[in-house]
Amino acid sequence: MSKERTNTKLVKDQDKTQERTQKKDQEKTSTATEYVLEAEKISKAYPGVQALKDVQLRVKRGTVHALMGENGAGKSTLMKILIGLEHKDEGSILFKAQDYTIGSTREALDRGLAMIHQELNPVLHMSVAENIFLGKEIKNSLGLVNYKAMLKESKDLLDSLDIRLNPDSKMIDLSIAQMQMVEIAKAISYNADLIIMDEPTSAITEKEVAHLFGIIKKLKDKEISIIFITHKMDEVFKITDEVTVFRDGHYIDSQLTSQLNREKLIQMMVGRDISVLFPKKEVKIQDVVLKVEHLSREGVFEDVSFEVRKGEIVGFAGLIGSGRTEVLECLFGVTKRSSGKVYLHDKLTTIATPTDAIKNGLAFLTEDRKLSGLYLVLSVLDNIVMANIQKYRKYGLLKDALMLADGDAQKNLLSIKTPSLGQIVNNLSGGNQQKVLVGRWLLTSPEILILDEPTRGIDVGAKAEIHKLMGTLVEQGKSIIMISSELPEVLGMSDRIVVMHEGKKSGELSRSEASQEKILHLATGASLDTFLEEDYK
């Protein structure tokens, strides 16, 4: 081969090598541009528990990515790793195409990753502006806080997100939804490229959800990515672009939302078909056990009357702020009534305190299990026996053997997943925490259970178990009053539905006549006399 031909071949080979290198570099650049977060083969173990095993999560820029899974699937653990509250045991994380190893939440914020937690924790006696700039206050040349500048920048930021709030307002005067909007603005103020939203719609109205979704779309337009954690299926299909599912600490799959339906997503989450989410049992409805007449609490609700029969589930529906919870708290003796009468088995009964209610066979599963239900730093056993503690006292001492026996019985009855009864209850998943509360009240042998948002914040599998348990309880002759903001749950589980609007009972529907449209119609204060099915199509 001539020297000239050899040189020509070498040049061609070099060109090909250069082309392959350029192609690889382009692929890397493309991937780096496409994904804001790439977490691969992440593992995390705690003593006796493998929380995550080789999971992955890849989030594209400018998209809303749902992270789904039952409670205990590992979602929270991965989020804690991402924001610096926990350290991974194995695996790699790239954020904006750079190695992502951090040791604190502050480092995460500085890198452009923020999280809005389900349990909001604002500084209540500080202003909106002070909360937005907390830890990064604007200062003047003398090193003093420039509150005027913070007010202006906060107003500009809030206006850009279409959040109509006065930045000088105190946080304590805001609604939960408004506090959530401030948290979003705070995350944006850090120039976050990725925002984690954990159950952001759990305590806000449909109108406020629509506003939140509008803000999320604005964030997408700015190429900001969202990890969206929710148990509400309809939200997944309304707002997200892609879904990743974890189960029992393992990665299951990632798919475009457009390629999924409700049934397929549920099956991915629980590993089995749940053909009946609302397993309503046909139970013989018997005599009236509770009659409430003209119950009122001045300034809160007025003139509410209803009945509950043995073996019946009575649903309470209405928009947030309608007075549903307040009526039943008053019935249970948590608050004092202004007027009204309560009859149990046709006998006029005085219930002035929760102790009176328990003695009369009532039990109350509160709306917020962490705030007003559980003793988070105590054990599963302590929480189960708490409402029935007098049963275990003898000569001033507690009968440990009896407590253990009752605790174990409730654990088995309700299939509570816990390493032991001595486990701190805060370490359990949301669904299992809810079961602990149900077990507590069942030990008081109640005749009537009041369940306020019994499946809020728990996964689809745990919801089905709670619904099944409700059916078993009414089959045994107990009665249930259920408050729920989820209309499919109200319609699926109730024999009768009481609808509230602005502190008044606006109507009552039987199971056969109830529909989502009729409930919404009554919940807005309208009469069924004006109801037209066509208005809701």
Side-chain angles (χ1 to χ4, degrees), residues 85-137:
L85 286 176
E86 296 281 0
H87 298 286
K88 64 185 185 300
D89 296 336
E90 297 176 15
S92 64
I93 301 174
L94 291 180
F95 183 57
K96 296 185 287 188
Q98 301 292 319
D99 178 66
Y100 185 75
T101 303
I102 58 169
S104 69
T105 54
R106 181 70 207 196
E107 283 186 63
L109 289 169
D110 290 342
R111 294 282 293 271
L113 196 156
M115 180 169 180
I116 301 167
H117 297 267
Q118 182 178 0
E119 284 92 17
L120 300 176
N121 192 27
V123 183
L124 294 174
H125 293 285
M126 292 176 72
S127 70
V128 169
E130 286 170 320
N131 271 267
I132 288 175
F133 284 96
L134 192 63
K136 57 180 191 305
E137 291 81 4

Side-chain angles (χ1 to χ4, degrees), residues 390-410:
Q390 295 303 324
K391 172 184 174 182
Y392 308 106
R393 291 188 185 278
K394 187 174 183 180
Y395 307 123
L397 300 175
L398 292 174
K399 296 185 280 186
D400 291 342
L402 183 57
M403 288 168 57
L404 283 168
D406 281 354
D408 201 49
Q410 293 304 312

Side-chain angles (χ1 to χ4, degrees), residues 165-323:
L165 281 177
N166 181 352
D168 203 24
S169 298
K170 298 294 183 186
M171 293 295 289
I172 197 168
D173 296 324
L174 304 186
S175 68
I176 294 294
Q178 289 171 324
M179 288 182 189
Q180 228 155 19
M181 299 304 174
V182 173
E183 287 296 312
I184 292 171
K186 186 176 179 179
I188 300 302
S189 73
Y190 282 98
N191 295 316
D193 297 281
L194 175 62
I195 301 174
I196 301 166
M197 296 186 181
D198 187 7
E199 297 285 353
T201 66
S202 63
I204 62 178
T205 66
E206 288 188 20
K207 183 179 179 181
E208 290 161 342
V209 170
H211 185 198
L212 173 63
F213 285 0
I215 290 174
I216 289 174
K217 287 173 183 174
K218 284 179 180 251
L219 298 179
K220 285 179 62 178
D221 292 340
K222 295 178 181 180
E223 286 293 293
I224 295 170
S225 306
I226 310 288
I227 295 176
F228 195 85
I229 301 173
T230 183
H231 289 301
K232 297 180 179 179
M233 292 284 175
D234 58 330
E235 293 179 355
V236 174
F237 293 101
K238 280 181 183 175
I239 197 65
T240 71
D241 302 292
E242 199 166 352
V243 180
T244 289
V245 175
F246 288 178
R247 189 196 314 145
D248 297 329
H250 292 78
Y251 169 80
I252 300 303
D253 199 4
S254 295
Q255 292 194 26
L256 295 174
T257 308
S258 58
Q259 295 176 352
L260 289 169
N261 57 37
R262 185 185 179 92
E263 290 71 28
K264 187 175 180 181
L265 181 53
I266 290 173
Q267 188 171 14
M268 287 166 64
M269 289 169 60
V270 301
R272 62 191 186 278
D273 285 314
I274 297 184
S275 55
V276 182
L277 283 175
F278 307 107
K280 180 68 176 146
K281 291 189 176 183
E282 294 300 321
V283 175
K284 182 181 179 182
I285 306 299
Q286 301 181 51
D287 296 336
V288 173
V289 292
L290 171 70
K291 183 190 293 184
V292 176
E293 291 185 347
H294 311 297
L295 193 66
S296 299
R297 187 181 173 212
E298 190 173 353
V300 182
F301 62 86
E302 62 176 308
D303 197 27
V304 176
S305 301
F306 62 93
E307 294 180 347
V308 180
R309 296 174 179 273
K310 185 176 181 178
E312 185 178 38
I313 298 176
V314 176
F316 265 66
L319 303 177
I320 291 173
S322 63

Side-chain angles (χ1 to χ4, degrees), residues 403-427:
M403 288 168 57
L404 283 168
D406 281 354
D408 201 49
Q410 293 304 312
K411 173 177 173 288
N412 294 332
L413 173 68
L414 301 172
S415 300
I416 300 171
K417 294 179 182 176
T418 176
S420 72
L421 292 173
Q423 175 70 272
I424 301 301
V425 79
N426 195 38
N427 294 336

Side-chain angles (χ1 to χ4, degrees), residues 62 78 83 109 125 142 152 301 355 376 385 462 513:
L78 181 59
I83 63 171
L109 289 169
H125 293 285
L142 298 175
K152 182 183 183 306
F301 62 86
T355 301
L376 294 172
V385 302
E513 67 181 331

Side-chain angles (χ1 to χ4, degrees), residues 15-182:
D15 288 343
K16 286 181 181 178
T17 301
Q18 190 173 2
E19 283 177 15
R20 284 196 294 267
T21 302
Q22 287 176 344
K23 187 176 180 182
K24 285 182 180 179
D25 288 342
Q26 287 172 354
E27 287 174 353
K28 286 180 180 178
T29 303
S30 175
T31 301
T33 304
E34 185 179 8
Y35 292 99
V36 67
L37 176 75
E38 296 175 87
E40 303 285 348
K41 294 187 175 298
I42 306 296
S43 295
K44 176 67 179 178
Y46 300 101
V49 179
Q50 183 71 46
L52 295 173
K53 182 65 176 176
D54 292 336
V55 301
Q56 67 181 57
L57 178 63
R58 305 176 83 202
V59 180
K60 293 177 181 176
R61 292 177 182 272
T63 64
V64 181
H65 195 114
L67 182 57
M68 304 291 289
E70 298 187 82
N71 288 106
K75 307 186 300 294
S76 296
T77 302
L78 181 59
M79 296 306 103
K80 287 176 182 177
I81 291 170
L82 291 178
I83 63 171
L85 286 176
E86 296 281 0
H87 298 286
K88 64 185 185 300
D89 296 336
E90 297 176 15
S92 64
I93 301 174
L94 291 180
F95 183 57
K96 296 185 287 188
Q98 301 292 319
D99 178 66
Y100 185 75
T101 303
I102 58 169
S104 69
T105 54
R106 181 70 207 196
E107 283 186 63
L109 289 169
D110 290 342
R111 294 282 293 271
L113 196 156
M115 180 169 180
I116 301 167
H117 297 267
Q118 182 178 0
E119 284 92 17
L120 300 176
N121 192 27
V123 183
L124 294 174
H125 293 285
M126 292 176 72
S127 70
V128 169
E130 286 170 320
N131 271 267
I132 288 175
F133 284 96
L134 192 63
K136 57 180 191 305
E137 291 81 4
I138 300 173
K139 296 182 180 179
N140 60 23
S141 58
L142 298 175
L144 301 175
V145 173
N146 189 338
Y147 190 65
K148 186 176 180 180
M150 284 165 52
L151 282 176
K152 182 183 183 306
E153 290 208 18
S154 295
K155 186 177 187 309
D156 291 344
L157 178 60
L158 293 168
D159 287 347
S160 73
L161 296 170
D162 199 27
I163 299 173
R164 303 303 175 201
L165 281 177
N166 181 352
D168 203 24
S169 298
K170 298 294 183 186
M171 293 295 289
I172 197 168
D173 296 324
L174 304 186
S175 68
I176 294 294
Q178 289 171 324
M179 288 182 189
Q180 228 155 19
M181 299 304 174
V182 173

